[in-house]
Amino acid sequence: MTQETTIMITGAGNGIGRATLMHFAGKGWNVIGLDKDADALAELREALPREKALLLTCDVGKEGEVARAFERIDEWLDGRPIDCLVNNSGIADPYCGPLEDVELAQWQGWIDASLTAAFLVSRAAIPLLRRAETASIANISSTRAVMSEPETFAYAAAKGGLDALTHSMAVTLGPKVRVNAIRPGWIETGPWQKSAARSHPDHRDKDRDQHPVGRIGTPEDIAAAVDYLHGAGFVTGQHLNVDGGMTVKMIYEH
């Protein structure tokens, strides 16, 4: 890739988004990051060359904020394309409580942060993606799109909708733009939070043993999957589990 290759990531301030942004910045790509967390973006600005990074505070679940962000993005690109878009935004906590107690506004919060945001940002990015010789979109879904714990229905619905949006977008935008989803499993994001929220949890043996690979996932694992899918020119409309094999292992409590 040339130094003019550009990736755009939503939810770029912390966790998977932060790790993915730094992964591609380390490869010499231009990076565009959107997040509501202004403090996290300020830290990233200090770590990245100004001419190679555009970091904007934006609630990507709100149409007006997305429109204003893309005015600035188009100006900054100055005719260059976006080569890869990563729709990563979402509410990290999947637990919403009993179904009968959840208010519509709470439900809508999960849907907007992940599914509506992916629609709004993708819609705005399409003209910029089509400038590229070939472009890709990676939607960050979850294994919770296909399996659940109790009281996680809003999160699961948002990610299930994102899975459906993925295959529909792949058919709609091909062949110019390929679209895939990544389904992270248990990913420990503590080390990739902004400094005020950073942590290094010590997981139990039983936590690691749930995974056939023998460990819990890292945000770097998801960044590597984005990198793979961007280069995989014959892959589109797919849903890639990156979960250490957890979803294929039968677990019984003895």
Side-chain angles (χ1 to χ4, degrees), residues 28-41:
W29 289 37
N30 298 319
V31 294
I32 301 170
L34 303 184
D35 203 292
K36 292 195 300 183
D37 191 333
D39 291 338
L41 293 183

Side-chain angles (χ1 to χ4, degrees), residues 176-189:
K176 189 70 173 178
V177 181
R178 293 180 299 103
V179 187
N180 294 287
I182 296 169
R183 292 177 181 154
W186 186 343
I187 305 296
E188 179 51 68
T189 62

Side-chain angles (χ1 to χ4, degrees), residues 95-154:
Y95 300 101
C96 53
L99 181 59
E100 63 270 25
D101 294 340
V102 174
E103 297 178 1
L104 178 59
Q106 294 173 294
W107 163 272
Q108 199 64 54
W110 266 280
I111 301 300
D112 285 350
S114 186
L115 181 56
T116 303
F119 159 69
L120 290 173
V121 172
S122 297
R123 183 180 67 176
I126 286 168
L128 308 180
L129 290 161
R130 285 180 172 153
R131 291 177 184 171
E133 183 176 343
T134 181
S136 71
I137 297 174
N139 293 324
I140 306 302
S141 179
S142 172
T143 54
R144 293 177 184 271
V146 293
M147 59 189 298
S148 286
E149 293 178 291
E151 300 182 352
T152 61
F153 54 88

